[in-house]
Each structure stands twice: as C-alpha cells, then as structure tokens.
Amino acid sequence: MALSWLLVLLAVTSTTLGTNPGVTVRLTNKGLQYGKQLGIAALQEKLKSVQIPDFSGSQRVSPIGKVKYSLTNIRLVNVGLPRSAVDLVPGTGVRLTIGEAFMNLHGNWRVKYLRIIKDSGSFDVSVNGLTISTVIAVKSDAAGRPVVSNTNCVANVASAKVKFHGGASWLYNLFSKFINKALRNALQKQICPLVDKTVIGLNPKLQTLNVLAKVDKYAEIEYSMTSSPVISQSSLELNLKGEFYNIGKHQEPPFTPAAFSLPSENNNMLYMALSAFTANSAGFVYNKAGILSLYVTDDMVPKASPFRLDTKTFGVFIPQIAKQFPGLKMKLLVRTDKNPTITFQPNKATVEATGTVTAYAIQTNGTLSPLFVLNLETSVSADMFVRGLNVGGRLTLNQMKLSVGTSYVGEFSVGVLDSVLRTVLKLVVIPIVNVQLDKGYPLPALGKMNLVNPQLRIMKDYMLIGTDVQFTS
Ligand SMILES: *[C@@H]1O[C@H](CO)[C@@H](O)[C@H](O)[C@H]1NC(C)=O
C-alpha cells in the first residue's frame, strides 16, 4: 500500500517536473496592438463580402392602392472601422471591440402601381454606429500549435439612413419604413459569421509555428506548446517544449527544464526566453551523435603558429617522443566524453566541456602510433547573438585544465604541454566550433515573421530576446 502510494507520488512528481517549458514566448500589449492592426485590415476586407439580398413585395398605400416594389442589386461600396480596441481576457484570450464602424451601400429600386405606372431609380444607404465585440479564445491544438476560435460575438447596427434618387417623394416614406429594419437585420446576421471567418482565417497562419524546426542533419528543435497559453491582464505567454532532438530518434536527456519566469517588461512586442535546458539538450544530442570530436592535423594549424604539430615540437617537451618517433607529423584527436553543459548567469554564458586529447605520431606508411592521452577540462565563455530568425554563438576559451590519462612515451609532466594545447584549442578547435555556432539555431517563429531590432541578454538560467516583429504577407 505504502509502496503504491510512493509510486503514484513519484509519477506525479516526474510529470510535474517534465511540464516546465524549455522556451517561453511572451506577447506584450504592444505586440497585441500590432496584431490588431493586421486583424482589423483583414476584417475590413472580409466585411466587403457582405451580401444584402434583394427585397420585393407589395404594399397597400392609400389612395393609390397596391404598390409592387423591388430593391435589387444592393452592394457594399465602402466599409470603415475607424475605432477598435483589443485587450486580454485573463485565462481566455483576446477581446476585440469595434465601435463607430460604418458601411455605405448602393442599390436599385423599382415600383409598379395603378396597373400601368412603372418607376425606378437608385438609392444609397449609410449604415452608422456599427458595433462589434467578440472574444477570441486562444488554445493549443493537438500538435501543440496555437489555435484561435471566436466566442460571444455580438454585432449591432444603430441606424441605416436611406437616400433615394428619382421617383415620387411618397415612395420614400414607403421604403424607408422597412428598408431600415430589413437592412439592419441582414447586416446583423452576417457580421458575426464574417468575424468568425476572419478569426478562423488566422489559424493557417498560426499553424506555421515551427513545432519541429530542422537544425542540421543531426538535430531538430521541438517548439510545440506544452500547455494552453497563459493569459494575464498584461501578456499572453506560450510555453514551448524548446528541446533539441536527434532527427527521427527522439530520446530524452537525463535532465529536465528548471522553472524560470520572465521579467515584467513590455517595451517590446515579443520576448523569447530560451532556457539553459534548451542549450543543454543540444549538447546532449550532439554528444550522443558522436560528432563532438575532431582530428587536428598540422595543416589545420595556422602558418603563423609558433609551433608545428610534429614530433620535433613535442620532442622539445617530451624528449622520448623525439627519440622514438623522429621527424614525423602528428595528429590529435580531441573529443568530449560527457555532454557539455551551459550555464546562464546574469550577463554571462559559460560552457563547461570535458574530454580527452589523444596524440598520435603519423608513421610514413600512414599508421598512427599513440603517444599519450590527456584528460581535458575546459571552460569557455559564449557570446550569444540573434541573426535573422536564428540564435547563434561565439566561444572564447577561459580556462583549460590538463591531466595525463595514459602515456606510451614514459612519464612526463603535463604542465609542459599546457601552452601548446591552449594554442591548439584557440587557433584550431574553437574556430571550427564557432563556424558551426555562427550558422545559428532556429528560433520559434510563425510564417513570414521578421524580428525588428532584437536584443539578447543573458539572465539567470535563460537567455532573453526582446524584439519587435513584422509580418510580410
Ligand atoms: C608501418 O610502419 C611502422 C613503423 O615503421 C611499423 O611498425 C608498422 O608495422 C607498419 N605498418 C604497416 C601496416 O606496414
């Protein structure tokens, strides 16, 4: 009994831990206002498709008698949405309110009375004081992409004024009575479905969220939402998985994201927080893929280097090498033996990597003769940057610690190799890693989104990108 409770507790605890997002994206009020601009433009386009049906009927008018009438070919000539507002509804989504909207319509009228008299002309209608309010719910779909739906749409038309061209004035009174009501009804019925269509029309765009962003031939990043958005009075936050995976072979690393929360800033439209977990999941994937290793040969050492990668140079520090392997080139195999780990401290990103350096003499027949294996502990600092929709980095060596793992050339003091190894790391290994890091890693993004003036800061346990955005449609 006690055991089963413990198991339940463990299960609950581990799922709770697992639900921390690796990446959080915050939309601020400024971002919401930009979204409103785009949304209102789309809605205005959509409202142009309102269709007013033809009216026809007959009416008894004294002293003339029965008047047959028809109003046809009523079409929208103009629609304006001069005043609109959006705000957040905590826990639900976004409220959109539109006031003082107007529409202008034009149509034709035709009457027949006293059996033989026919008359016709045109008319204009101006619809004023149109109000629309709706709440747009934001949720996560099954694939972890944001999805919106329209709830509680209410549309109201305050007045419709009709102006007739041609015909007798008594006709105007006849039409005005019901045309006002009929138009208002027709419009009120059509506006909310059109608002609905506009809102639903956002979903294909939202579905372009790169829930699985390809990085290279080894890795992809999962950016699916881990929960419904967290909506407060001041922001809408998307919690994303933010985890690197081996392409096609998703395997969880032996660590989980720590909880972190964003500072309460709202100068930018968007804030993206990428946790140390996200970066470390990359280290896990690449280490697992066995690609965090590199053969260093003499041709990779710059001409200007104070030494060559040969047994002459190393023979100066370890005479046994010069004696046993005279006049040979050398090769170093540098590789990690554990996942490199990145830590984010305010204004400081540090990568700790441990590994080994195996040195070989290259025999004239090509055979590699092992000379020694060194254990290597390095600490490098990382400058992170945003370029386009990618985040990249640049490493510089801080510290390096060596110890002898195995020697095939007798005992030696590792201190003598310190400067040579440091130079190899600085001039060969780190520049090669930097070429990779410079290519960058895709950030979470929607369709044709561009970042405008992004700023990156390192915070405790995450890096924060504050940015404005622009969509090119
Ligand atoms: C290559 O040369 C080394 C040193 O002369 C020798 O020990 C080794 O057997 C040679 N290997 C082959 C495959 O010929």
Side-chain angles (χ1 to χ4, degrees):
M1 190 63 191
L3 181 64
S4 65
W5 270 112
L6 185 65
L7 289 176
V8 167
L9 196 67
L10 281 174
V12 169
T13 315
S14 65
T15 46
T16 315
L17 285 174
T19 55
N20 280 333
V23 168
T24 295
V25 177
R26 172 190 285 169
L27 180 76
T28 64
N29 190 45
K30 186 181 178 188
L32 195 62
Q33 298 310 317
Y34 175 63
K36 183 191 90 171
Q37 282 178 33
L38 303 181
I40 289 294
L43 180 59
Q44 187 152 347
E45 255 336 278
K46 208 50 133 189
L47 288 178
K48 285 181 183 161
S49 68
V50 292
Q51 277 174 343
I52 308 295
D54 294 348
F55 302 100
S56 59
S58 60
Q59 183 89 18
R60 193 156 283 282
V61 181
S62 67
I64 296 163
K66 204 163 103 177
V67 177
K68 286 171 90 177
Y69 65 86
S70 65
L71 299 167
T72 56
N73 203 17
I74 309 169
R75 59 199 182 276
L76 189 78
V77 288
N78 190 22
V79 53
L81 305 174
R83 260 193 43 191
S84 57
V86 284
D87 60 345
L88 290 162
V89 184
T92 306
V94 179
R95 178 170 35 228
L96 170 68
T97 26
I98 293 171
E100 294 174 22
F102 59 86
M103 285 179 173
N104 299 315
L105 303 118
H106 184 83
N108 301 321
W109 61 265
R110 184 182 298 278
V111 289
K112 193 175 172 191
Y113 54 93
L114 296 175
R115 286 207 175 86
I116 49 157
I117 300 177
K118 288 180 182 171
D119 200 359
S120 64
S122 65
F123 66 92
D124 289 303
V125 188
S126 63
V127 178
N128 286 305
L130 181 63
T131 61
I132 306 169
S133 79
T134 190
V135 173
I136 301 161
V138 191
K139 295 208 172 71
S140 168
D141 74 5
R145 299 169 301 197
V147 60
V148 289
S149 57
N150 203 15
T151 61
N152 291 324
C153 177
V154 180
N156 231 305
V157 176
S159 72
K161 274 206 191 93
V162 191
K163 196 175 175 211
F164 289 92
H165 308 290
S169 61
W170 60 265
L171 285 168
Y172 301 176
N173 298 332
L174 165 65
F175 292 140
S176 291
K177 267 187 211 157
F178 65 87
I179 196 171
N180 192 313
K181 191 160 175 236
L183 270 173
R184 280 168 51 177
N185 281 344
L187 284 175
Q188 263 159 233
K189 252 187 228 145
Q190 286 184 47
I191 286 169
C192 277
L194 288 172
V195 171
D196 214 40
K197 267 192 190 165
T198 312
V199 171
I200 301 296
L202 293 173
N203 282 328
K205 292 187 176 98
L206 293 174
Q207 277 164 13
T208 61
L209 175 69
N210 49 350
V211 286
L212 218 46
K214 188 167 191 251
V215 180
D216 51 33
K217 62 179 175 180
Y218 305 102
E220 58 197 359
I221 315 176
E222 192 174 329
Y223 281 131
S224 56
M225 293 166 72
T226 57
S227 61
S228 276
V230 181
I231 302 163
S232 69
Q233 209 91 46
S234 59
S235 71
L236 185 154
E237 286 187 1
L238 304 182
N239 290 323
L240 312 180
K241 196 156 194 193
E243 182 167 347
F244 279 74
Y245 283 113
N246 243 331
I247 285 181
K249 196 169 57 186
H250 286 199
Q251 189 186 355
E252 297 301 324
F255 47 83
T256 52
F260 63 91
S261 59
L262 280 67
S264 54
E265 283 179 34
N266 49 21
N267 297 330
N268 286 115
M269 294 180 187
L270 209 64
Y271 289 88
M272 294 187 225
L274 289 84
S275 66
F277 166 82
T278 300
N280 284 326
S281 68
F284 174 74
V285 165
Y286 289 113
N287 189 48
K288 200 102 187 152
I291 57 158
L292 299 183
S293 71
L294 179 70
Y295 276 109
V296 180
T297 47
D298 185 54
D299 56 309
M300 294 158 79
V301 179
K303 293 274 174 292
S305 159
F307 68 87
R308 303 311 319 163
L309 203 52
D310 56 23
T311 55
K312 189 178 164 209
T313 301
F314 280 74
V316 172
F317 306 112
I318 308 168
Q320 183 70 17
I321 290 178
K323 215 181 286 167
Q324 222 176 316
F325 304 95
L328 297 179
K329 290 283 184 202
M330 283 174 57
K331 191 177 208 176
L332 302 178
L333 172 60
V334 183
R335 68 170 167 210
T336 56
D337 58 0
K338 278 192 235 140
N339 309 323
T341 52
I342 190 158
T343 28
F344 294 132
Q345 290 296 332
N347 300 316
K348 200 168 124 191
T350 313
V351 184
E352 311 277 342
T354 69
T356 56
V357 179
T358 309
Y360 302 94
I362 308 170
Q363 301 285 0
T364 41
N365 63 11
T367 302
L368 297 179
S369 302
L371 304 175
F372 54 80
V373 181
L374 303 178
N375 300 315
L376 177 67
E377 285 172 49
T378 58
S379 169
V380 296
S381 57
D383 277 319
M384 309 302 297
F385 57 82
V386 178
R387 190 191 299 129
L389 286 169
N390 287 341
V391 59
R394 191 169 182 285
L395 304 180
T396 40
L397 183 64
N398 287 340
Q399 281 171 19
M400 185 196 82
K401 233 174 91 185
L402 288 177
S403 62
V404 180
T406 313
S407 173
Y408 304 96
V409 288
E411 260 183 52
F412 63 89
S413 153
V414 77
V416 297
L417 293 178
D418 201 86
S419 73
V420 176
L421 258 297
R422 195 174 284 273
T423 309
V424 167
L425 289 182
K426 276 190 178 165
L427 294 186
V428 183
V429 179
I430 288 178
I432 287 173
V433 175
N434 280 342
V435 168
Q436 289 307 311
L437 292 179
D438 189 72
K439 289 178 188 161
Y441 302 88
L443 291 165
L446 290 178
K448 292 173 179 166
M449 180 176 118
N450 292 313
L451 304 187
V452 179
N453 196 20
Q455 313 276 327
L456 187 149
R457 270 177 298 157
I458 307 291
M459 315 290 280
K460 179 161 168 42
D461 294 337
Y462 64 96
M463 53 183 156
L464 182 68
I465 299 166
T467 185
D468 285 346
V469 293
Q470 198 167 36
F471 284 91
T472 54
S473 55

